[in-house]
Amino acid sequence: MAAIQLPKMLYESAARADEVLCLNVEDLYPQDKRGRITAKGGAIEWIHWQSGTAQFLPRLIARRTRGPLFLTDRKASAGTPTLDVCSETGRARLSYRRAEEIFEESTRLLANPLASPEDIEDLNGYAPSAAPQCPDTRR
């Protein structure tokens, strides 16, 4: 699911990948098409998105009320920081490395239309050490 939605949100918001990957469900204001991020240097800023992102957010959130917005497909490993684990699903925050792999996988055939599906390697792994360093914004 993140393969389509993350690039769309990045494109529509013009936000940095690590800022979007650090978004939590509770940071979103879907009715206003915006979300609260912590920018470089620790400043609190807002990103805004368009209708494409607004349409997929309800499916992505899926009745969750808190925790990371973009999640891995697997349960979090034992060493994953608590802030990077969804308390409702037990899944971990999507790492920058894994987001890059998903993007590469989903665009590889676009970059080389002559490549066969067999040329696409399996990228189902997850490395918790490559998770974005998200600031603790709890107050």
Side-chain angles (χ1 to χ4, degrees):
M1 187 179 259
I4 297 168
Q5 297 161 340
L6 179 61
K8 182 179 284 294
M9 186 174 221
L10 290 171
Y11 177 78
E12 289 188 0
S13 68
R16 296 172 55 238
D18 60 332
E19 293 169 342
V20 172
L21 288 171
C22 285
L23 275 172
N24 289 322
V25 174
E26 59 270 25
D27 297 329
L28 303 177
Y29 295 82
Q31 68 280 5
D32 298 328
K33 295 183 184 175
R34 68 182 186 149
R36 185 180 61 235
I37 61 167
T38 302
K40 257 185 167 176
I44 301 297
E45 296 181 3
W46 295 92
I47 61 168
H48 301 268
W49 52 79
Q50 299 170 16
S51 298
T53 298
Q55 289 174 354
F56 78 68
L57 276 177
R59 288 189 304 253
L60 183 64
I61 294 169
R63 292 177 275 185
R64 293 184 290 133
T65 58
R66 58 185 317 99
L69 176 61
F70 289 97
L71 299 171
T72 62
D73 294 332
R74 300 177 180 189
K75 296 285 184 186
S77 62
T80 306
T82 307
L83 291 175
D84 290 334
V85 177
C86 175
S87 60
E88 297 172 32
T89 67
R91 292 165 45 203
R93 182 182 307 277
L94 187 67
S95 70
Y96 187 89
R97 183 195 59 79
R98 181 67 181 128
E100 179 183 26
E101 289 174 349
I102 290 169
F103 181 77
E104 290 281 332
E105 181 181 350
S106 64
T107 61
R108 188 169 295 144
L109 288 177
L110 296 174
N112 183 3
L114 299 177
S116 68
E118 292 80 32
D119 293 335
I120 309 295
E121 60 189 9
D122 184 19
L123 298 173
N124 289 330
Y126 168 71
S129 61
Q133 298 300 312
C134 301
D136 184 0
T137 57
R138 296 178 292 176
R139 298 209 178 358

